[in-house]
C-alpha cells in the first residue's frame, strides 16, 4: 500500500452506504441488462500466486453468488484455499434472514481480527444480504475496523474495481447500491459441483411479506430472459451435468416483468427446459399465490422435472397469513396443495413455517398443526419469528413470550418428524433412482445422494458411482433418511 496511490483515491466515490428506505421503492423503470463485465487491465493478474476463501451463509442464492465471486477472483488469477491462514482475500457472504444468522456472522468477523493483525496485507470483505442493511454497515464501521471492504448484492460485478480500491486505499471501501437492481449477464462463475448446478432464473422479490427482509436486500423482481436461461441449461447439459436447480426468491413470479413476452411464465420456461437432455430439473422457491395451473400441467408431464415441491405455507391460520401479507388463506393453500398432489401423485412436499409471529394465539398455532396434519409434509424448515429492522412486522409488538415460541417450535418439529418418518416408510423395499453426490458426511465408507423426491439415501458402493444416477433398493427407512442397497443390474423405478 503506497502513500502515493492512496492519495489519488477519491474516497467519497467508494463510500456508498445502504439505505433500506431506498431499497423499498419500486419504480416502473425497465430493468437494465448489463453485459459489459470487465476486469481493469491492472487487476487482470493481481491474484497470481495468491489465494482466496469465501465463507457462505444462508440460502442457495448466496451459494450461487459465491460461485460468481469465485469465478471473478479466479479470472484475476487467484486460487481457492480452505485455510484462512493462507488466504490473501477472505470474503464473508452473509445472510440477513434472521437475527441468529447475523449474530453468527458478527462472531466470525470478530475471530478474523487476530488473523488480520498477523497478516496486515489480508483483504477482508463482507458482502451479501447483511451488507444491504444500514445497521450492519454502521456496526462494522464502528466496531470492526479490520474489515477492508463492504459491498452489496447489486455490486458483485464490481468486485475487481472494489478490490483494487481496497488494496490501494487506507480507508474502508463501502459500496452498497440500494437501487432495485439490474441484471448482469455473462459474469464468470466457478461452479462448486461437477454434476449439480444452480441456474438463476430471476432475482429479487416484490412480495414484501411483512416479516421478511429479502425484498429490501435483493431488490425488485427481475426475470432473466428465457433465451439466456435455456442457453445456460443447454451448456450445462453439454458439459454432462445431471441435475439443475432453477433459482429465484419467488420463482412463480417468473416472466411477469419481461416486456417483450406476454403471458410467459414459469410453466412455459419449464416446458422448454423439459425438452433439454438434462436428467433432473428442480426449482425453488415457490410462492403459493403465484403458483398457476399451467405450471401444474407442465409438472404433471414428469420426464426430467423432479416431483418435489417446496411450498412455504408460513402459517395455518388465515388471520396470521393476512398480517404476514402472504396474499392467500389457509383454504386457498390447501386447495392448491391438493390440486398439485392430484396432478403429480408421486410428488413430495416440503414447506417453511414461522411460529410466534406477533399476536399469534394458541388457537392460531393449533391451526398450523392441523394444516401440517392434513398435508403430511415430507419435511420442512421451521423457524421462530425474528424481527427484522425496517420491516412492517418489526413495528408490531413482538408479544409472544420466547418460552411460548420455543414450546410451539418443539411441538411443531415433533409433528413434522412424525410425518417425515411416515412418508419415508412408504419407500421401504422400493427401488429408487439416486443421484450419487459423494461420501456420506458421517461415514466415508458409505455413499450418499438424493431421490427425485429429494429424500436422502445412504448406501454402500464403489466411489466410481459418484456423479452417476443409480438404482438403490431401500432396506431401512428412517425418520430423516433412507438406507439401501445398490442395485447394479436393475432399471430405475421412481
Ligand atoms: N423470522 C423468521 N423466519 C423468517 N423467514 C423469513 N423471514 C423470517 C423472519 N423474520 C423464513 C420464512 C422463509 C424462510 C426462507 O425463512 O419461513 O420462507
Ligand atoms: Fe421473503 Fe415473502 Fe419474498 Fe419469500 S416471498 S423472499 S418470504 S418477501
Amino acid at each position: 500500500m503506497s502513500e502515493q496511490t492512496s492519495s489519488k483515491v477519491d474516497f467519497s466515490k467508494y463510500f456508498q452506504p445502504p439505505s433500506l428506505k431506498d431499497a423499498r421503492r419500486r419504480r416502473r423503470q425497465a430493468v437494465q441488462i448489463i453485459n459489459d463485465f470487465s476486469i481493469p487491465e491492472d487487476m487482470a493478474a493481481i491474484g497470481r500466486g495468491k489465494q482466496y476463501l469465501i465463507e457462505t451463509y444462508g440460502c442457495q442464492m448466496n451459494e450461487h453468488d459465491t460461485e460468481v465471486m469465485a469465478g471473478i477472483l479466479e479470472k484475476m488469477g487467484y486460487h481457492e484455499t480452505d485455510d484462512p491462514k493462507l488466504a490473501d482475500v477472505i470474503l464473508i457472504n452473509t445472510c440477513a434472514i434472521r437475527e441468529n444468522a447475523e449474530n453468527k456472522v458478527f462472531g466470525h468477523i470478530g475471530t478474523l481480527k487476530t488473523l488480520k493483525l498477523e497478516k496486515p496485507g489480508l483483504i477482508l470483505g463482507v458482502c451479501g444480504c447483511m451488507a444491504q442493511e444500514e445497521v450492519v454497515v454502521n456496526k462494522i464501521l464502528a466496531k470492526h475496523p479490520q474489515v477492508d471492504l463492504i459491498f452489496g448484492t447489486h455490486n458483485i460485478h464490481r468486485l475487481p474495481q472494489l478490490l483494487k480500491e481496497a488494496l490501494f486505499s487506507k480507508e474502508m471501501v463501502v459500496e452498497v447500491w440500494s437501487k432495485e437492481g439490474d441484471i448482469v449477464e455473462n459474469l464468470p462463475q466457478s461452479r462448486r459441483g461437477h454434476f449439480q448446478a444452480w441456474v438463476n432464473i430471476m432475482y429479487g422479490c416484490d412480495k414484501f411479506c411483512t416479516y421478511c427482509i429479502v425484498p429490501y436486500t435483493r431488490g425488485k423482481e427481475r426475470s432473466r430472459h428465457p433465451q439466456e436461461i435455456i442457453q445456460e441449461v443447454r451448456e450445462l447439459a453439454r458439459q454432462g451435468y445431471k441435475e439443475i436447480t432453477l433459482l429465484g426468491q419467488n420463482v412463480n413470479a417468473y416472466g411477469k416483468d419481461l416486456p417483450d413476452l406476454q403471458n410467459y411464465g414459469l410453466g412455459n420456461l419449464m416446458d422448454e427446459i423439459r425438452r433439454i437432455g438434462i436428467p433432473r430439473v428442480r426449482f425453488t422457491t415457490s410462492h403459493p399465490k403465484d403458483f398457476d395451473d399451467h405450471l401444474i400441467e407442465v409438472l404433471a408431464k414428469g420426464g426430467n422435472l423432479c416431483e418435489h415441491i417446496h411450498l412455504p405455507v408460513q402459517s395455518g391460520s388465515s388471520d396470521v397469513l393476512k398480517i404476514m401479507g402472504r396474499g392467500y388463506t389457509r383454504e386457498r393453500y390447501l386447495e392448491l396443495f391438493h390440486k398439485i398432489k392430484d396432478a403429480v401423485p408421486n410428488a413430495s412436499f416440503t414447506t417453511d413455517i414461522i411460529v410466534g409471529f406477533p399476536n399469534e394465539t394458541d388457537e392460531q398455532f393449533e391451526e398450523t398443526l392441523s394444516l401440517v396434519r392434513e398435508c403430511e409434509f415430507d419435511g420442512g424448515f421451521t423457524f421462530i419469528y425474528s424481527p427484522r429492522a425496517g420491516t412492517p412486522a418489526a413495528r408490531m409488538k413482538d408479544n409472544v413470550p420466547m418460552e411460548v415460541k420455543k414450546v410451539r417450535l418443539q411441538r411443531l418439529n415433533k409433528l413434522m418428524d412424525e410425518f417425515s418418518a411416515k412418508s419415508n416408510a412408504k419407500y421401504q423395499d422400493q427401488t429408487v433412482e439416486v443421484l450419487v453426490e459423494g461420501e456420506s458426511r458421517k461415514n466415508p465408507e458409505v455413499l450418499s445422494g438424493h431421490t427425485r423426491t429429494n429424500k436422502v439415501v445412504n448406501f454402500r458402493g464403489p466411489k466410481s458411482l459418484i456423479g452417476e444416477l443409480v438404482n438403490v433398493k431401500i432396506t431401512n427407512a428412517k425418520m430423516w433418511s433412507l438406507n439401501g442397497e445398490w442395485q447394479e443390474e436393475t432399471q430405475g423405478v421412481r
Side-chain angles (χ1 to χ4, degrees):
M1 196 190 303
S2 81
E3 277 299 317
Q4 220 183 357
T5 329
S6 66
S7 65
K8 275 196 227 150
V9 174
D10 170 10
F11 183 65
S12 59
K13 223 170 106 194
Y14 294 98
F15 190 75
Q16 294 182 35
S19 154
L20 282 185
K21 207 164 137 235
D22 289 347
R24 194 187 158 78
R25 291 207 187 107
R26 294 290 185 265
R27 297 174 197 84
R28 288 243 175 95
Q29 248 162 336
V31 170
Q32 302 283 319
I33 310 287
I34 301 175
N35 238 324
D36 62 352
F37 169 77
S38 70
I39 294 179
E41 232 171 78
D42 49 352
M43 292 297 283
I46 195 109
R48 244 183 236 159
K50 293 189 183 155
Q51 307 197 63
Y52 76 90
L53 187 156
I54 309 178
E55 315 235 2
T56 313
Y57 293 81
C59 65
Q60 288 122 322
M61 198 63 83
N62 261 14
E63 300 269 353
H64 189 44
D65 283 350
T66 289
E67 295 184 331
V68 172
M69 292 189 281
I72 297 175
L73 290 169
E74 287 171 20
K75 274 255 177 295
M76 289 191 280
Y78 287 94
H79 284 279
E80 191 177 17
T81 175
D82 55 11
D83 183 353
K85 290 203 182 76
L86 298 179
D88 300 281
V89 175
I90 298 182
L91 300 180
I92 308 178
N93 190 3
T94 63
C95 168
I97 199 99
R98 280 170 295 277
E99 197 186 352
N100 56 3
E102 294 205 349
N103 292 343
K104 261 194 241 164
V105 168
F106 274 116
H108 187 56
I109 296 176
T111 61
L112 290 171
K113 200 175 247 171
T114 340
L115 198 62
K116 178 78 185 181
L117 286 174
E118 284 165 14
K119 197 173 173 181
L122 166 71
I123 294 290
L124 187 54
V126 175
C127 54
C129 286
M130 279 171 70
Q132 296 291 140
E133 298 177 281
E134 295 96 311
V135 274
V136 169
V137 172
N138 290 339
K139 188 165 162 185
I140 295 176
L141 285 166
K143 293 196 177 152
H144 297 282
Q146 74 273 27
V147 172
D148 303 284
L149 168 65
I150 304 176
F151 61 101
T153 58
H154 303 297
N155 305 70
I156 290 176
H157 63 294
R158 303 243 318 133
L159 181 54
Q161 288 79 3
L162 297 173
L163 196 57
K164 180 175 171 182
E165 291 314 319
L167 281 166
F168 298 117
S169 142
K170 282 186 171 168
E171 313 281 343
M172 197 188 286
V173 172
V174 179
E175 189 184 272
V176 184
W177 294 339
S178 296
K179 57 182 190 163
E180 300 151 302
D182 298 316
I183 291 186
V184 190
E185 286 293 353
N186 295 324
L187 287 177
Q189 30 190 319
S190 170
R191 295 195 189 267
R192 281 5 201 177
H194 299 294
F195 40 88
Q196 288 172 299
W198 284 300
V199 177
N200 274 329
I201 62 166
M202 63 181 301
Y203 304 92
C205 181
D206 287 346
K207 281 280 175 273
F208 287 101
C209 301
T210 55
Y211 51 80
C212 187
I213 194 79
V214 169
Y216 307 79
T217 61
R218 290 278 172 177
K220 79 169 171 187
E221 287 171 358
R222 290 102 72 203
S223 302
R224 286 180 74 198
H225 203 278
Q227 259 170 12
E228 299 276 359
I229 300 168
I230 288 163
Q231 197 180 321
E232 187 174 338
V233 176
R234 284 217 178 99
E235 179 55 23
L236 289 166
R238 199 191 56 76
Q239 291 172 15
Y241 278 82
K242 300 274 170 29
E243 180 180 290
I244 57 157
T245 303
L246 306 176
L247 281 185
Q249 244 84 39
N250 170 18
V251 286
N252 304 85
Y254 176 77
K256 290 193 173 165
D257 60 309
L258 287 171
D260 55 335
L261 291 173
Q262 295 285 312
N263 296 324
Y264 189 98
L266 183 61
N268 303 73
L269 181 69
M270 301 275 283
D271 209 13
E272 294 201 57
I273 291 178
R274 201 171 61 80
R275 295 164 223 256
I276 300 177
I278 201 146
R280 288 182 170 193
V281 179
R282 303 185 183 279
F283 64 107
T284 197
T285 287
S286 285
H287 191 296
K289 182 159 189 269
D290 297 326
F291 210 112
D292 61 30
D293 288 351
H294 185 221
L295 177 61
I296 301 177
E297 268 166 46
V298 173
L299 289 175
K301 295 181 186 175
N304 59 1
L305 307 181
C306 289
E307 36 289 292
H308 167 226
I309 318 284
H310 184 63
L311 196 63
V313 64
Q314 313 298 1
S315 166
S317 151
S318 294
D319 290 338
V320 174
L321 288 169
K322 190 158 188 208
I323 315 170
M324 285 179 164
R326 291 289 289 175
Y328 55 86
T329 57
R330 170 194 176 92
E331 291 70 30
R332 175 77 190 85
Y333 180 91
L334 287 171
E335 193 188 309
L336 173 68
F337 175 89
H338 290 295
K339 201 191 266 183
I340 305 173
K341 213 173 165 64
D342 290 346
V344 192
N346 295 334
S348 66
F349 284 83
T350 52
T351 196
D352 292 346
I353 296 175
I354 298 175
V355 301
F357 191 73
N359 292 310
E360 185 190 58
T361 62
D362 281 339
E363 291 72 28
Q364 289 167 336
F365 172 66
E366 290 297 334
E367 287 188 79
T368 296
L369 296 182
S370 83
L371 181 134
V372 170
R373 280 187 205 104
E374 175 159 351
C375 296
E376 303 198 349
F377 292 110
D378 291 76
F381 300 100
T382 54
F383 310 100
I384 285 182
Y385 166 68
S386 168
R388 305 283 63 217
T391 61
R395 292 191 290 275
M396 301 173 196
K397 200 159 176 245
D398 185 11
N399 54 359
V400 181
M402 187 45 92
E403 270 319 299
V404 174
K405 289 180 182 172
K406 284 187 180 162
V407 172
R408 285 185 190 166
L409 187 70
Q410 271 171 9
R411 288 187 58 203
L412 174 62
N413 285 346
K414 192 164 165 281
L415 191 65
M416 297 284 287
D417 287 350
E418 273 171 37
F419 289 115
S420 173
K422 186 172 172 189
S423 68
N424 281 358
K426 293 183 194 142
Y427 286 74
Q428 185 68 39
D429 301 326
Q430 301 275 326
T431 299
V432 287
E433 180 200 90
V434 177
L435 174 58
V436 190
E437 286 151 34
E439 295 167 0
S440 135
R441 251 181 277 159
K442 286 189 201 142
N443 180 357
E445 298 292 301
V446 171
L447 295 174
S448 186
H450 284 85
T451 62
R452 288 170 58 96
T453 52
N454 216 32
K455 302 275 181 190
V456 176
V457 178
N458 295 308
F459 65 99
R460 285 177 192 269
K463 301 270 187 279
S464 57
L465 295 184
I466 295 175
E468 299 296 325
L469 288 158
V470 301
N471 293 318
V472 176
K473 184 170 180 191
I474 304 306
T475 50
N476 183 12
K478 303 196 293 180
M479 189 179 280
W480 295 300
S481 64
L482 306 167
N483 287 354
E485 280 165 9
W486 174 40
Q487 305 291 289
E488 209 173 339
E489 306 293 332
T490 60
Q491 270 309 109
V493 181
R494 277 164 200 155

